[in-house]
Amino acid sequence: MAKQYTPNIKGQAELILKAAGGSIAKSAIHKAFINYSEVSKEQVIVDLSVSSKFGMPTFDVFSFNANAGNKLSYTASKDFGGGVVSIIAPFTFDTALIDINQTKNIVRTSIAGTNGSVKEYMSEGDFIINLKGVIVGDVANQRPDLTRLNRLVAYLKAPLSIPITCRFLEELQITSVVIESYKLGQREGTRNIIDIEINMLSDSVIELSSNNTQKDVYTNRAFF
């Protein structure tokens, strides 16, 4: 029987913080592992989230979700063969450092002869999500499993809205994202650690209403 993989959640978090560095990382680790003595005994009971929703990086489990009944399909670029890519399995970060900000859509109009501008509030903007994580190979000085890495890259290249699961983001009703940019890097001095940083925008469906209501209706994206 194959040995079941048990993620070292604290070890992964410490690797993420070493890559992040700075005072923000220090505050995150202190907030994240208040109850870690219990987590180390029962890794299925993991509570790494903190109460702050904005400005404080937060550790949590994060998953890109696709499966056989809810697959994601798109056509790859010519540089990657140009074939159809079908994602039928989720990808999960056992722990990831997540930071959220939000913009507002404001139209500014300058008026001649006056200082400043007139601001017209239009709506709340997208949530801007930054995720830092790692993929760690089981064997030191050997590259991580390419199957797992390729599955992540398939999500990263998807020109689609991607369903996600993350308790911290669900508190803000974020259930799908669009990937704006990402960065992969091999940790200096190692071969089995790949540092990952992903920048995402929250996504939702906008349904235009009839002329009778004279407003837009915003609904959460549903995946069937």
Side-chain angles (χ1 to χ4, degrees):
M1 179 181 295
K3 182 179 179 181
Q4 184 178 4
Y5 171 66
T6 302
N8 182 348
I9 297 176
K10 182 178 181 181
Q12 290 185 23
E14 290 174 345
L15 288 172
I16 295 169
L17 290 173
K18 286 179 181 178
S23 59
I24 292 179
K26 292 180 182 178
S27 64
I29 190 66
H30 292 310
K31 292 286 186 180
F33 295 113
I34 292 175
N35 298 319
Y36 197 80
S37 60
E38 296 300 320
V39 174
S40 62
K41 297 176 184 177
E42 296 291 340
Q43 291 196 356
V44 294
I45 307 176
V46 180
D47 187 2
L48 300 180
S49 62
V50 297
S51 58
S52 175
K53 291 183 173 60
F54 295 97
M56 173 68 73
T58 302
F59 278 100
D60 204 352
V61 180
F62 180 97
S63 294
F64 292 118
N65 288 333
N67 52 55
N70 183 25
K71 67 180 181 179
L72 299 177
S73 297
Y74 62 93
T75 302
S77 64
K78 293 182 179 179
D79 294 338
F80 287 84
V84 175
V85 177
S86 294
I87 308 174
I88 58 173
F91 182 94
T92 299
F93 290 97
D94 298 309
T95 187
L97 187 61
I98 301 169
D99 193 8
I100 304 175
N101 289 284
Q102 188 179 30
T103 59
K104 290 185 176 182
N105 296 321
I106 298 175
V107 176
R108 295 186 295 177
T109 305
S110 299
I111 300 177
T114 62
N115 295 326
S117 61
V118 176
K119 289 84 174 175
E120 182 181 3
Y121 174 82
M122 304 299 292
S123 63
E124 290 187 347
D126 298 320
F127 288 101
I128 302 170
I129 306 161
N130 176 266
L131 179 149
K132 294 181 176 67
V134 291
I135 292 180
V136 182
D138 295 336
V139 182
N141 295 321
Q142 290 187 18
R143 295 295 300 274
D145 181 16
L146 286 180
T147 301
R148 179 170 165 78
L149 179 60
N150 290 339
R151 188 188 310 156
L152 173 62
V153 171
Y155 277 108
L156 297 179
K157 290 187 171 295
L160 304 167
S161 180
I162 303 173
I164 62 166
T165 299
C166 176
R167 185 177 56 181
F168 179 54
L169 297 182
E170 287 170 357
E171 293 177 4
L172 297 169
Q173 298 184 341
I174 302 172
T175 57
S176 59
V177 298
V178 171
I179 294 176
E180 187 176 35
S181 63
Y182 58 90
K183 180 171 65 176
L184 307 178
Q186 186 166 293
R187 180 70 59 91
E188 182 178 359
T190 66
R191 289 181 56 83
N192 66 320
I193 301 173
I194 297 177
D195 293 310
I196 300 161
E197 183 171 359
I198 307 172
N199 295 305
M200 300 169 281
L201 299 175
S202 62
D203 192 38
S204 61
V205 166
I206 300 177
E207 297 179 355
L208 297 181
S209 64
S210 67
N211 292 332
N212 295 330
T213 57
Q214 294 296 313
K215 65 179 181 179
D216 293 343
V217 179
Y218 293 77
T219 60
N220 292 329
R221 183 176 298 275
F223 291 86
F224 301 98

